[in-house]
């Protein structure tokens, strides 16, 4: 298909497609003449991925490029590749004391890289909770650790075998599902609060 | 204490305290002379609440006012008050077709108000997932519903008896814990991926 058809299928303008091509987010089409290129279904799929990363995922162009580079060349260590793809979506936080965050992860018995930026994010959130004078019961912490593990286990078990599919799945899943989980938690609050306070 | 001491205790400038007073987020102190007011521990606690709402919670001044109004006057229907406080923290999304979101909530067996803005947010996130061509297995959906319910049950069970404490707890808990859950899920991914791909 031509660039105009690709743009239509991806629900973006031709100018946007050209921009993604220039930025290297979209691979070039097959040249059929010095001024004309042909695109195929793989370009449509890639365009949808880019839109998800830049739109609901709110990644920067640089972050999206990092994710796509790993998807295009996953190497043969899937654990390593998944880690690199995830890290590409995270802002590196300023250095922060991660002792409390590491303690929490140790309590759950999880093996994680102590240099993970997610530990910094967790540490920052724990500090904000502390700072607000907000206390969380042990039973509630246990529910957080148990539930996020339950979610992650189901998600990792669902990752497809093919390495590039697997990375696309993992990155999109991480990003697109976050707002779903937050909305579900708030809706579950409503239900549980109805049960406790009786309506 | 004087306003300068209150500002110091709250780790903000005196100008910020004056701004919160003008906006009605902080209740006025007790006048000890026509130009001087005294503040107490309740002002320090309120200041920490405001900081959490405007900082990590990223609420607007108007949203924070709405939350604080409910906390100050919860009325005698706790279910109603919790709902109002939560809604004050949510942007009303543009109207959207919530059929898929309602179906998901019905599958979980939750009773929620069909006008909840969270249903609109869920609907929007589901549409983004669809749009990206991303598919989620039934087992994974079950894990999402089970886990968010597990989390909400633990949280609602931990709400203190006193109505104003209860509202402060519920609002801070909803807002401050969101980034914690997202970071924990990503860390749990790392652990589960290490188990699946063996390191």
């Amino acid at each position: 298909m031509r660039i105009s058809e690709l743009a239509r299928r991806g629900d973006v303008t031709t100018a946007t497609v050209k921009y993604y091509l220039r930025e290297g987010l979209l691979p070039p089409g097959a040249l059929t003449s010095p001024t004309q290129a042909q695109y195929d279904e793989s370009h449509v799929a890639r365009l949808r991925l880019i839109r998800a990363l830049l739109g609901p995922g709110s990644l920067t162009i640089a972050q999206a490029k990092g994710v796509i580079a790993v998807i295009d060349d996953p190497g043969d260590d899937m654990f390593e590749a998944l880690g690199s793809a995830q890290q590409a979506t995270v802002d590196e936080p300023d250095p922060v004391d991660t002792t409390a965050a590491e303690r929490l992860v140790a309590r759950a018995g999880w093996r994680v890289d102590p240099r993970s930026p997610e530990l910094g994010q967790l540490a920052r959130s724990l500090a904000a909770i502390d700072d607000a004078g907000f206390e969380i019961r042990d039973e509630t912490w246990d529910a957080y650790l148990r539930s996020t593990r339950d979610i992650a286990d189901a998600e990792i078990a669902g990752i497809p075998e093919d390495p590039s599919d697997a990375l696309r799945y993992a990155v999109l899943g991480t990003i697109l599902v976050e707002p779903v989980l937050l909305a579900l938690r708030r809706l579950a609050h409503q239900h549980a609060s109805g049960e406790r306070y009786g309506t």
Side-chain angles (χ1 to χ4, degrees), chain A:
Chain A
M1 72 193 82
R2 293 201 187 173
I3 193 166
S4 55
E5 167 74 1
L6 174 61
R8 201 189 55 74
R9 292 277 307 278
D11 203 18
V12 295
T13 64
T14 304
T16 300
V17 171
K18 285 183 178 160
Y19 174 64
Y20 293 162
L21 285 165
R22 269 199 315 275
E23 287 289 340
L25 288 168
L26 260 180
L31 282 185
T32 51
S33 85
T35 57
Q36 201 149 94
Q38 283 289 322
Y39 301 88
D40 58 28
E41 289 304 318
S42 74
H43 290 92
V44 177
R46 170 60 54 92
L47 197 49
R48 294 174 103 185
L49 171 64
I50 297 168
R51 282 183 47 207
L53 295 176
L54 300 180
S58 309
L59 296 196
T60 63
I61 294 276
Q63 287 173 325
K65 262 178 159 163
V67 170
I68 284 174
V70 183
I71 293 181
D72 281 342
D73 185 11
D76 45 15
D77 182 340
M78 198 42 152
F79 175 74
E80 203 55 44
L82 276 176
S84 310
Q86 297 287 38
Q87 311 256 312
T89 69
V90 182
D91 280 327
E92 198 74 36
D94 296 334
V96 60
D97 177 8
T98 55
T99 314
E102 284 174 52
R103 208 180 305 129
L104 193 58
V105 167
R107 173 165 156 189
W110 299 344
R111 281 180 53 201
V112 306
D113 185 337
R115 294 158 307 173
S116 306
E118 290 89 351
L119 275 178
Q121 298 194 322
L122 181 56
R124 231 165 267 286
S125 311
L126 294 177
I129 285 175
D130 219 45
D131 198 41
F134 183 68
E135 278 171 32
I136 296 178
R137 300 178 310 151
D138 272 352
E139 295 93 308
T140 306
W141 275 121
D142 287 339
Y144 292 162
L145 297 174
R146 184 173 63 232
S147 301
T148 50
R149 177 68 195 277
D150 186 15
I151 288 170
D153 280 347
E155 291 174 326
I156 298 289
I159 290 184
E161 288 295 330
D162 174 82
S164 280
D165 281 355
L167 287 164
R168 188 182 141 275
Y169 175 96
V171 170
L172 282 181
T174 298
I175 288 177
L176 294 175
V177 171
E178 289 188 342
V180 170
L181 292 174
L182 298 183
L184 285 177
R185 171 175 173 245
R186 285 173 178 241
L187 289 164
H189 278 155
Q190 204 179 121
H191 177 76
S193 145
E195 289 201 329
R196 171 160 172 187
Y197 299 105
T199 46

